[in-house]
Amino acid sequence: MLENKHGHKGREWGAIIADPCCLGACLAPTLPVSLPAAGGLPTEFSSAQFRAALGMFATGVAIVTARGAQGQPVGLTISSFNAVSLEPALVLWSLGHTSTALGIMRQASHYAIHVLTVEQRALAERFATRGIDRWAGVAHQPGRSGAPLLAGAAAVFECRNRSQYVEGDHTIFVGEVLQCVHQPHSSPLLYHGGMFYTEHPLGRVAESALD
């Protein structure tokens, strides 16, 4: 069972983009990381400092689902979801090599990525917890490719497992989007610094800042 300085136990998040020191599966000893000297920049920092710096980047929260070789549903919470390309429609996410779901996700031909709403906080925590039946009492139905689809998500991307790249202690998954749906007026669940948040609109992006 994992536990960290914030007191969270048994958590297994798929990636460490949003405050990995809080809800990550990749809790490693604090070791120095050396970089080539460059123009007065620091040449050493600890893994704890790196995790803390990453935690300043707020993200959404998503759940990735797939089916194992025996047809069993598999799912985990991630915060590393991002867009790659519009043509073709590609997205990416990453998974730590200590995750118990890594083997299944590498072998799965398809998966579904669910962007969670603020009402789905409990679901986010459930699919990040080890040692429980994550699917008990959770409504779902098979999608186009057979991956389990969860009800109520802000957006769902059904993907083909297009490519994978091993980098450091994570595998980066690139998915080819076969189908997507969304709820335009839903409020997304956000994650930052070990805490959940919801949106607080500040106004539309200036036209000059848009492509």
Side-chain angles (χ1 to χ4, degrees):
M1 177 176 289
L2 298 179
E3 182 175 1
N4 54 51
K5 65 181 180 180
H6 297 284
H8 297 289
K9 297 182 179 180
R11 301 301 185 192
E12 181 189 31
W13 279 47
I16 58 172
I17 298 301
D19 194 7
C21 64
C22 181
L23 287 176
C26 300
L27 300 180
T30 301
L31 300 174
V33 179
S34 298
L35 297 175
L41 295 176
T43 58
E44 289 189 348
F45 55 89
S46 70
S47 58
Q49 290 172 319
F50 185 47
R51 289 195 296 264
L54 290 174
M56 297 307 296
F57 184 64
T59 72
V61 183
I63 290 175
V64 181
T65 62
R67 291 198 181 274
Q70 307 304 317
Q72 73 276 23
V74 178
L76 69 154
T77 302
I78 65 167
S79 58
S80 57
F81 174 68
N82 210 335
V84 175
S85 168
L86 292 177
E87 294 291 343
L90 303 177
V91 295
L92 68 75
W93 60 285
S94 60
L95 184 57
H97 292 166
T98 60
S99 172
T100 56
L102 181 62
I104 293 176
M105 290 299 181
R106 280 177 168 171
Q107 296 298 319
S109 61
H110 297 79
Y111 48 76
I113 302 171
H114 306 74
V115 178
L116 302 186
T117 68
V118 67
E119 291 84 7
Q120 294 177 305
R121 171 183 173 175
L123 201 62
E125 294 183 308
R126 182 184 188 90
F127 276 80
T129 302
R130 295 177 185 257
I132 65 168
D133 181 359
R134 298 176 179 178
W135 293 93
V138 176
H140 63 279
Q141 61 183 10
R144 174 179 175 181
S145 61
L149 300 184
L150 305 173
V156 179
F157 301 84
E158 296 186 61
C159 303
R160 179 175 71 86
N161 198 344
R162 177 184 172 110
S163 54
Q164 302 170 27
Y165 304 91
V166 174
E167 290 292 346
D169 56 12
H170 276 61
T171 293
I172 301 165
F173 292 82
V174 176
E176 179 181 353
V177 180
L178 305 177
Q179 181 168 309
C180 63
V181 296
H182 71 286
Q183 301 185 58
H185 303 296
S186 57
S187 295
L189 181 63
L190 305 178
Y191 184 70
H192 167 61
M195 296 184 65
F196 289 113
Y197 294 84
T198 188
E199 61 185 345
H200 179 68
L202 299 177
R204 294 187 177 278
V205 178
E207 290 293 332
S208 58
L210 298 176
D211 291 337

CSV table of all heavy atoms in Angstrom, one decimal, residues 16 66 81 121 197 211:
chain,number,residue,atom,x,y,z
A,16,ILE,N,2.4,11.0,-13.6
A,16,ILE,CA,2.8,11.9,-12.5
A,16,ILE,C,2.8,13.4,-12.9
A,16,ILE,O,3.5,14.2,-12.4
A,16,ILE,CB,4.2,11.5,-12.0
A,16,ILE,CG1,5.2,11.5,-13.2
A,16,ILE,CG2,4.2,10.1,-11.4
A,16,ILE,CD1,6.6,11.3,-12.7
A,66,ALA,N,-10.2,-0.3,-20.4
A,66,ALA,CA,-9.9,-1.3,-21.5
A,66,ALA,C,-10.4,-2.7,-21.0
A,66,ALA,O,-10.9,-2.8,-19.9
A,66,ALA,CB,-8.4,-1.3,-21.8
A,81,PHE,N,-3.4,13.2,-19.7
A,81,PHE,CA,-4.1,13.2,-21.0
A,81,PHE,C,-3.8,14.5,-21.8
A,81,PHE,O,-3.8,15.6,-21.2
A,81,PHE,CB,-5.6,13.0,-20.8
A,81,PHE,CG,-6.4,13.2,-22.0
A,81,PHE,CD1,-6.3,12.3,-23.1
A,81,PHE,CD2,-7.2,14.3,-22.2
A,81,PHE,CE1,-7.1,12.4,-24.2
A,81,PHE,CE2,-8.0,14.4,-23.3
A,81,PHE,CZ,-7.9,13.5,-24.3
A,121,ARG,N,-15.7,13.0,-8.7
A,121,ARG,CA,-14.5,13.0,-7.9
A,121,ARG,C,-14.4,11.6,-7.2
A,121,ARG,O,-13.3,11.0,-7.2
A,121,ARG,CB,-14.6,14.0,-6.8
A,121,ARG,CG,-13.5,13.9,-5.7
A,121,ARG,CD,-13.6,14.9,-4.6
A,121,ARG,NE,-12.7,14.7,-3.6
A,121,ARG,CZ,-12.5,15.4,-2.5
A,121,ARG,NH1,-13.2,16.6,-2.4
A,121,ARG,NH2,-11.6,15.1,-1.6
A,197,TYR,N,-10.2,20.5,-7.6
A,197,TYR,CA,-10.8,21.8,-7.8
A,197,TYR,C,-11.9,21.7,-8.9
A,197,TYR,O,-11.9,20.7,-9.6
A,197,TYR,CB,-9.8,22.8,-8.3
A,197,TYR,CG,-8.7,23.2,-7.3
A,197,TYR,CD1,-7.6,22.4,-7.1
A,197,TYR,CD2,-8.8,24.3,-6.4
A,197,TYR,CE1,-6.6,22.7,-6.2
A,197,TYR,CE2,-7.8,24.6,-5.5
A,197,TYR,CZ,-6.7,23.8,-5.4
A,197,TYR,OH,-5.7,24.1,-4.5
A,211,ASP,N,-5.1,31.0,-32.5
A,211,ASP,CA,-4.6,30.7,-33.8
A,211,ASP,C,-5.7,31.1,-34.9
A,211,ASP,O,-6.8,30.8,-34.7
A,211,ASP,CB,-4.2,29.3,-33.9
A,211,ASP,CG,-3.0,29.0,-33.0
A,211,ASP,OD1,-2.2,29.9,-32.7
A,211,ASP,OD2,-2.8,27.8,-32.7
